[in-house]
């Protein structure tokens, strides 16, 4: 299949090593926000939930570049805002996963990494005909494509995640699909060698039609137990070989799934999952369930995981609540104890929407070890803010018309920025206060961070 490449600009003006680059190697953005104008159609309304943003070092200069998608388009923009390429293509993105299939609301539908060891970044995505496309990260030129067989009962492959399944690095891919009929869940999963696919060998390394999927978002991958390979993460945890290691016992379905080192006293990373039905929060790992809790029978729906209280061991779990208006968040500590709860409307600015917040990310904002949360106004193209998750206090607010929000370290001092998609512009907001720890190693050097930022959607940032 041939794509129409709308525009390709020259090679990067900057050249920095991508190794273990510390903060001073990358200058801050010269304006706040830094604005990148996009040559793709704008998001038409808040109801248009297809497509989103991820970042990756496309030109290997040590800076993170931007991949922005929407129905019909994949686009790449350099760190400094220069357009690299735009592809007009039948990209696999959509709205509600349970009715349209994966990757769900705000899923970007695109991956990036050096998948063949040539020192260059490739961009990967699926089209609606189930073809996996691999294009050059700098030029957008197609390198190769493959069409893995679609599982019986599914319409197409819908979701993808670069993975390390065989201990050879980012040389594999995991694909996921929902059932074609009825309430759609991503029960079909298969792991493939990318080198095999490139050579025309489309048989999977393994496959299953029985993963316990989240209802609204796709699987995620990360090396949870430190064995050198990526586990497949959802309501089930699968080993790199596709063997089920653990499955939570749900009464209803799961809305969201996250992974983090919630319990540093336990080896490896843990998974947090939120249930709709019995309205519980689960903490588990490859060895089994650690705890399951509920708070007054309220549905958690969305969460953020981070070190919100430096006086407590481990990480905290902030749960948003589901209320249509006047949200009532609560916070668990690493042991599952409630340590905070409040009504958001009582602490938010008076002109903030009473529908609350959405697209909630934990964020390293001020250069300390304590994390905060970032969010946008709910159910509207509105403002974005940095918030204290323990109290709901608004630390910083930026007037905008945000259609999407993404949080990642892109300005280069290891702190994270708010990346807003507003119409057909990106707005990057950075903390302009001096960083008290400017020489800290960048977050991108951590595998769990790269994995968490590569695959996300509305329910599981």
């Amino acid at each position: 299949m041939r794509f129409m490449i709308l525009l390709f600009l020259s090679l990067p003006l900057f050249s920095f090593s991508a190794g273990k680059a510390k903060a001073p190697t990358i200058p801050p953005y010269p304006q706040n926000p830094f604005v990148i104008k996009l040559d793709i159609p704008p998001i038409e309304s808040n109801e248009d939930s297809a497509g989103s943003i991820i970042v990756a070092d496309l030109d290997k200069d040590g800076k993170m570049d931007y991949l922005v998608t929407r129905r019909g388009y994949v686009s790449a923009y350099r760190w400094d805002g220069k357009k690299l390429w735009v592809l007009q293509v039948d990209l696999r993105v959509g709205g509600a996963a349970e009715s349209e299939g994966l990757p769900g609301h705000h899923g970007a539908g695109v991956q990036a990494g050096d998948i063949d060891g040539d020192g260059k970044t490739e961009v990967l995505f699926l089209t609606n005909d189930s073809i996996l496309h691999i294009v050059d990260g700098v030029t957008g030129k197609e390198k190769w494509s493959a069409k893995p067989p679609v599982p019986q009962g599914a319409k197409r492959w819908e979701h993808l995640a670069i993975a390390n399944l065989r201990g050879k690095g980012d040389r594999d891919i995991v694909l996921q699909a929902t059932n074609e009929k009825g309430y759609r869940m991503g029960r079909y999963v298969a792991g493939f060698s990318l080198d095999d696919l490139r050579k025309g060998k489309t048989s999977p390394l393994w496959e299953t039609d029985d993963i316990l999927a989240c209802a609204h978002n796709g699987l995620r991958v990360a090396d949870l137990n430190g064995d050198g390979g990526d586990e497949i993460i959802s309501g089930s945890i699968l080993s790199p070989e596709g063997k089920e290691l653990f499955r939570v016992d749900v009464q209803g379905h799961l809305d969201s799934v996250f992974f983090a080192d919630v319990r540093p006293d336990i080896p490896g990373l843990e998974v947090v999952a939120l249930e709709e039905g019995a309205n519980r929060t689960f903490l588990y790992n490859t060895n089994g369930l650690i705890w399951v809790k509920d708070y007054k029978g309220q549905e958690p729906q969305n969460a953020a995981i981070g070190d919100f209280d430096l006086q407590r061991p481990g990480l905290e779990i902030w749960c948003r609540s589901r209320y249509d208006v006047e949200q009532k968040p609560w916070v668990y500590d690493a042991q599952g104890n409630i340590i905070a709860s409040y009504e958001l409307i009582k602490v938010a600015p008076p002109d903030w929407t009473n529908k609350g917040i959405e697209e909630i990310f934990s964020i390293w904002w001020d250069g300390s070890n304590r994390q905060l949360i970032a969010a946008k106004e709910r159910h509207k193209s509105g403002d974005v803010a940095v918030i204290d998750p323990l109290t709901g206090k608004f630390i910083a607010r930026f007037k905008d018309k945000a259609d999407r929000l993404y949080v990642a370290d892109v300005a280069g001092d290891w702190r994270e920025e708010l990346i807003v998609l507003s119409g057909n512009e990106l707005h990057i907001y950075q903390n302009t206060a001096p960083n008290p720890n400017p020489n800290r190693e960048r977050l991108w050097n951590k595998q769990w961070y790269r994995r968490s930022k590569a695959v996300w959607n509305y329910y599981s940032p």
Side-chain angles (χ1 to χ4, degrees):
M1 178 178 181
R2 302 183 67 181
F3 301 126
M4 180 172 64
I5 300 185
L6 303 181
L7 184 62
F8 165 60
L9 292 185
S10 59
L11 292 175
L13 299 173
F14 303 102
S15 179
F16 293 105
S17 171
K20 288 196 173 182
K22 300 276 181 97
T25 63
I26 298 175
Y29 276 116
Q31 296 91 30
N32 195 31
F34 186 76
V35 177
I36 298 175
K37 295 187 180 297
L38 306 176
D39 192 18
I40 60 175
I43 301 293
E44 295 178 358
S45 70
N46 192 67
E47 286 72 37
D48 182 6
S49 65
S52 195
I53 315 158
I54 65 168
V55 299
D57 187 359
L58 298 177
D59 54 14
K60 291 294 187 177
D61 67 351
K63 303 188 195 67
M64 306 309 288
D65 308 301
Y66 301 90
L67 288 163
V68 185
T69 65
R70 62 155 304 161
R71 291 187 197 270
Y73 294 89
V74 182
S75 63
Y77 290 80
R78 211 168 58 188
W79 179 87
D80 62 357
K82 296 293 190 297
K83 179 163 51 178
L84 293 173
W85 46 266
V86 174
L87 300 178
Q88 190 171 351
V89 58
D90 190 20
L91 178 68
R92 178 60 214 166
V93 288
E98 61 270 28
S99 57
E100 291 190 39
L102 296 168
H105 294 304
H106 301 188
V110 65
Q111 293 279 276
D114 180 4
I115 63 169
D116 53 17
D118 65 355
K120 300 179 181 179
T121 299
E122 287 77 41
V123 174
L124 296 76
F125 55 88
L126 291 163
T127 44
N128 280 315
D129 54 6
S130 280
I131 294 177
L132 173 67
H133 301 273
I134 289 79
V135 305
D136 183 275
V138 174
T139 68
K141 182 179 180 180
E142 182 159 310
K143 299 182 73 171
W144 56 273
S145 64
K147 190 171 184 178
V150 176
Q152 185 176 359
K155 185 175 183 180
R156 60 172 69 89
W157 289 116
E158 301 166 347
H159 178 58
L160 74 168
I162 291 175
N164 175 10
L165 301 178
R166 297 168 296 143
K168 298 183 179 182
D170 291 353
R171 303 292 186 268
D172 306 305
I173 195 162
V174 180
L175 300 182
Q176 187 177 21
T178 60
N179 45 289
E180 182 176 3
K181 298 179 180 179
Y183 191 96
R184 300 173 69 167
M185 298 277 284
R187 56 183 289 188
Y188 304 99
V189 176
F192 295 87
S193 158
L194 284 163
D195 189 52
D196 282 352
L197 290 175
R198 182 182 62 83
K199 294 175 180 177
K201 302 175 182 178
T202 59
S203 297
L205 300 169
W206 51 263
E207 58 186 330
T208 180
D209 63 359
D210 190 37
I211 191 172
L212 176 58
C214 285
H216 310 306
N217 55 290
L219 60 81
R220 313 182 85 170
V221 302
D223 184 1
L224 296 177
N225 57 13
D227 65 356
D230 285 323
E231 280 71 43
I232 290 78
I233 303 164
S234 195
S236 305
I237 299 177
L238 305 184
S239 74
E241 298 77 29
K243 178 184 177 182
E244 184 172 283
L245 302 176
F246 178 70
R247 171 185 295 237
V248 294
D249 183 14
V250 299
Q251 301 170 28
H253 64 244
L254 297 178
D255 281 342
S256 308
V257 63
F258 310 81
F259 58 88
D261 191 9
V262 177
R263 291 283 297 271
D265 57 316
I266 299 175
L269 305 178
E270 291 77 43
V271 178
V272 174
L274 309 183
E275 180 188 46
E276 178 181 341
N279 297 340
R280 297 174 294 174
T281 299
F282 297 89
L283 183 72
Y284 51 101
N285 63 12
T286 57
N287 294 319
L289 183 68
I290 299 170
W291 54 255
V292 55
K293 301 283 185 176
D294 79 284
Y295 178 60
K296 298 182 178 180
Q298 297 180 93
E299 183 184 336
Q301 194 175 65
N302 298 87
I305 320 298
D307 199 351
F308 304 139
D309 186 342
L310 299 181
Q311 304 306 310
R312 295 177 182 272
L315 305 184
E316 289 71 47
I317 302 166
W318 177 94
C319 297
R320 188 191 71 174
S321 80
R322 187 182 176 163
Y323 297 99
D324 291 336
V325 295
E326 301 184 9
Q327 295 167 344
K328 299 175 175 62
W330 66 90
V331 184
Y332 294 105
D333 69 10
Q335 287 70 41
N337 302 307
I338 298 295
I339 60 171
S341 63
Y342 49 90
E343 296 179 44
L344 188 64
I345 198 168
K346 292 183 177 180
V347 291
D351 59 340
W352 191 270
T353 176
N354 68 350
K355 294 180 180 178
I357 58 177
E358 63 183 0
E359 283 196 324
I360 305 105
F361 291 82
S362 59
I363 183 170
W364 276 279
W365 176 250
D366 58 13
S368 72
N369 289 326
R370 185 189 177 201
Q371 292 171 274
L372 301 167
I373 60 174
K376 66 177 286 291
E377 287 192 275
R378 188 178 178 214
H379 292 177
K380 64 182 295 188
S381 298
D383 296 348
V384 294
V386 177
I387 301 167
D388 182 340
L390 297 182
T391 65
K393 179 182 178 182
F394 280 54
I395 306 298
R397 178 181 180 179
F398 302 98
K399 302 292 288 185
D400 210 312
K401 294 181 179 179
D403 299 307
R404 302 285 186 273
L405 173 64
Y406 179 70
V407 166
D409 167 24
V410 292
D413 69 353
W414 81 260
R415 293 182 296 185
E416 294 178 295
E417 285 67 52
L418 287 77
I419 303 163
V420 169
L421 176 60
S422 177
N424 57 357
E425 293 183 346
L426 288 181
H427 302 164
I428 296 100
Y429 294 93
Q430 58 192 335
N431 190 336
T432 57
N435 186 351
N437 294 295
N439 294 316
R440 182 168 165 176
E441 185 176 84
R442 294 194 73 187
L443 296 163
W444 292 107
N445 292 329
K446 303 178 186 298
Q447 196 250 19
W448 63 263
Y449 186 80
R450 297 193 301 273
R451 292 293 195 240
S452 70
K453 296 302 176 183
V455 176
W456 71 278
N457 82 354
Y458 181 95
Y459 284 88
S460 299

